[in-house]
Amino acid sequence: MSRSAHPAGPRHADVLPEGHYAGPPEDLNTLDPRVWSRTVTRNDDGAAEVGGLDVRDLAAEFGTPAYILDEADFRARCRAWRAAFGQGADVFYAGKAFLSRAVVRWLTEEGLNLDVCSGTELAVALDAGMPAERIALHGNNKSTAEIERAVTAGVGRIVLDSFQEIARVAAVAAEHGVRQRVQIRVTVGVEAHTHEFIATAHEDQKFGLSLADGQAAEAVRRVLMLDSLELAGIHSHIGSQIFDMAGFEVAARRVVSLLGEIRDEHGVELPEIDLGGGLGIAYTTDDDPREPHEIAKALGEIVARECDAARLTPPRLSVEPGRAIVGPTAFTLYEVGTVKPLEGLRTYVSVDGGMSDNIRTALYDAEYSVSLVSRASDAEPMLVRVVGKHCESGDIVVKDAFLPADTAPGDLLAVPATGAYCRSMASNYNHALRPPVVAVADGRARVIVRRETEEDLLRLDVG
Ligand code: LLP
């Protein structure tokens, strides 16, 4: 689903989709900064280092598979987003990409807000000290218990997704004597150019209230009539792993146009709009993501222009990047278990994880890169498919890639850009134990989410 592909030489043309591959990379030892987090380098031994730590030492201490998260990179990305959007806008990190208490603390320190989409994400956020007013609660089917938890904690906004929910949130807020700030999530009718499962603003899907059929305007009417709700603004999220700003432009135009209609019908100018997340990252070197300052500039200009045309005071803008902040900051470290050449086809390299720690390849046809990281190698490139250890042939981590032909059991491989939606979507398929997340910074490593143990699984299995 990323636009990227891996290159292949002519001798592989028969097994690879035509026009999709240009040839093996020049140097398999290069750890290209476009896909690796910023402190990753190779040391004099030829092994990769991150945060000043050799991956061989990380594997020895924490085991494999493991997600290795570059804290300096995470913080730098937070700062870049904050600086790009400035004081007149808010950046809500989308916790669904990856959430842990350490992450919440980093976000709090770096001045970001947080988007949560379940009562349990909210619990993590509150436990780690994110001030409730900096939290937004999302979801298309929030339970009354989740709403209650959010309202009583004092979250800054609840994003409403249906007529039933308007009534539900209003009732809970009234019961607790609270006037709850809310936004209404609208469906702007944009066809985002991404995988169907992660596009969210076309008409035929479960999120939001449609602008086109008048449901959004009706939701506004209902919310404005309820004393226990304060309508702060309109929300739109068009999908994920998007590179083209055109979809955001259409979304902004339609959201601002709704603000104009609300002013004309009700005489109120809503003070906020949220344009969601969805900005793409580089999974391979073929992906060319926009920088936060380019995104901020483009969105700011679109909103200003549309507001000017509609004679509206520009509302306070917020965005909700998840993947674009955490995605590039982590890689998954695996150990090679078997290497199986299939004559005339390719070589299957099995690692000690798979679809339980990265479901994205199987689910979205996602493309990833992979490198041998425990040593450098001058061997010829060989075309590989990196697969996991699960009982399923779709258990693919990296569909098409090149590794040195001498890659062997015991080598360490790393798959970059796995910070988003890998640990957070990990499963226990085949009773796999979900890997730890190890944060590294300035020559120190610490586990921020520990590896699951057999006891953890057995404790759930109550016989
Ligand atoms: N805001 C809202 C309301 C969302 O629904 C999402 C993602 C985001 C922000 C953050 O989007 P991001 O910037 O991370 O793309 N599991 C899929 C992605 C699902 C995203 C769901 N919503 C994947 O692995 O690609």
Side-chain angles (χ1 to χ4, degrees):
M1 50 155 283
S2 84
R3 296 174 307 168
S4 50
H6 286 281
R11 68 201 164 99
H12 303 297
D14 50 337
V15 290
L16 292 169
E18 208 181 320
H20 203 51
Y21 299 87
E26 296 266 295
D27 179 4
L28 288 176
N29 294 317
T30 304
L31 298 171
D32 194 307
R34 283 173 293 177
V35 292
W36 292 89
S37 69
R38 65 195 70 193
T39 74
V40 171
T41 54
R42 261 188 210 276
N43 60 25
D44 293 344
D45 270 4
E49 263 186 26
V50 55
L53 297 170
D54 188 313
V55 292
R56 294 170 300 182
D57 297 332
L58 292 170
E61 185 170 354
F62 302 105
T64 54
Y67 304 102
I68 310 294
L69 198 161
D70 186 340
E71 180 183 339
D73 194 48
F74 186 97
R75 287 182 182 272
R77 285 175 197 279
C78 290
R79 277 182 220 138
W81 278 86
R82 261 267 37 104
F85 280 84
Q87 291 311 311
D90 296 304
V91 180
F92 285 73
Y93 168 78
K96 66 208 86 183
F98 172 63
L99 195 66
S100 77
R101 287 190 275 208
V103 161
V104 174
R105 281 192 289 272
W106 301 337
L107 295 168
T108 310
E109 287 165 16
E110 300 298 345
L112 270 67
N113 294 356
L114 179 62
D115 141 9
V116 297
C117 65
S118 68
T120 31
E121 282 189 357
L122 176 61
V124 174
L126 293 172
D127 185 86
M130 173 63 77
E133 64 273 13
R134 284 165 60 182
I135 299 176
L137 177 67
H138 274 276
N140 69 301
N141 184 17
K142 308 167 189 75
S143 70
T144 304
E146 287 174 314
I147 293 166
E148 218 147 41
R149 192 166 200 174
V151 167
T152 54
V155 300
R157 73 171 67 141
I158 296 182
V159 183
L160 301 170
D161 197 273
S162 67
F163 291 131
Q164 288 89 349
E165 197 173 86
I166 293 172
R168 229 173 261 160
V169 176
V172 171
E175 194 186 318
H176 291 276
V178 168
R179 187 145 194 266
Q180 179 61 51
R181 296 183 84 257
V182 296
Q183 291 190 342
I184 294 173
R185 175 156 174 183
V186 302
T187 314
V188 292
V190 173
E191 296 284 340
H193 296 287
T194 187
H195 192 283
E196 179 194 349
F197 291 176
I198 54 174
T200 57
H202 51 297
E203 294 292 334
D204 189 3
Q205 47 83 33
K206 70 172 182 170
F207 291 108
L209 289 144
S210 165
L211 275 177
D213 73 3
Q215 292 203 25
E218 176 57 21
V220 169
R221 274 175 219 123
R222 293 194 193 183
V223 172
L224 287 175
M225 279 166 52
L226 292 160
D227 288 340
S228 61
L229 300 183
E230 177 190 339
L231 183 56
I234 301 296
H235 183 284
S236 154
H237 170 76
I238 59 173
S240 277
Q241 187 59 1
I242 297 167
F243 292 92
D244 186 353
M245 294 304 288
F248 288 99
E249 172 142 15
V250 177
R253 199 177 315 130
R254 295 191 180 158
V255 166
V256 171
S257 142
L258 177 64
L259 293 188
E261 288 162 29
I262 295 169
R263 188 247 344 254
D264 296 344
E265 184 178 338
H266 304 283
V268 285
E269 285 198 23
L270 299 186
E272 295 174 356
I273 63 171
D274 187 306
L275 293 177
L279 287 315
I281 64 164
Y283 286 101
T284 78
T285 52
D286 284 356
D287 293 322
D288 184 19
R290 304 273 71 76
E291 292 294 325
H293 68 267
E294 298 174 275
I295 296 161
K297 185 165 180 284
L299 293 182
E301 283 173 3
I302 298 164
V303 173
R305 196 178 60 228
E306 296 303 319
C307 287
D308 196 42
R311 296 183 321 283
L312 285 164
T313 312
R316 189 174 177 87
L317 175 65
S318 53
V319 286
E320 297 171 338
R323 184 190 324 263
I325 291 179
V326 72
T329 68
F331 59 82
T332 315
L333 190 58
Y334 298 105
E335 185 177 307
V336 174
T338 69
V339 176
K340 192 186 282 184
L342 298 190
E343 197 46 46
L345 291 172
R346 67 176 77 239
T347 297
Y348 278 76
V349 175
S350 298
V351 294
D352 50 357
M355 64 195 295
S356 56
D357 58 71
N358 186 351
I359 191 63
R360 299 192 68 263
T361 308
L363 194 54
Y364 314 118
D365 250 341
E367 286 168 5
Y368 283 91
S369 339
V370 59
S371 293
L372 172 62
V373 288
S374 42
R375 61 187 172 89
S377 166
D378 294 330
E380 286 291 295
M382 71 171 164
L383 177 65
V384 300
R385 180 158 290 171
V386 178
V387 295
K389 59 178 291 168
H390 296 285
C391 289
E392 188 154 327
S393 52
D395 173 26
I396 296 167
V397 180
V398 186
K399 205 168 170 196
D400 300 300
F402 284 89
L403 284 173
D406 62 354
T407 301
D411 278 334
L412 296 175
L413 300 185
V415 174
T418 57
Y421 304 108
C422 286
R423 180 59 179 80
S424 66
M425 294 174 79
S427 77
N428 293 120
Y429 184 43
N430 298 151
H431 274 47
L433 303 170
R434 286 178 296 174
V437 182
V438 180
V440 296
D442 304 324
R444 299 225 325 254
R446 72 189 167 105
V447 174
I448 59 170
V449 178
R450 74 159 167 78
R451 186 184 301 283
E452 268 176 339
T453 61
E454 252 173 61
E455 294 82 75
D456 290 331
L457 292 193
L458 286 170
R459 211 173 297 140
L460 295 175
D461 181 341
V462 292

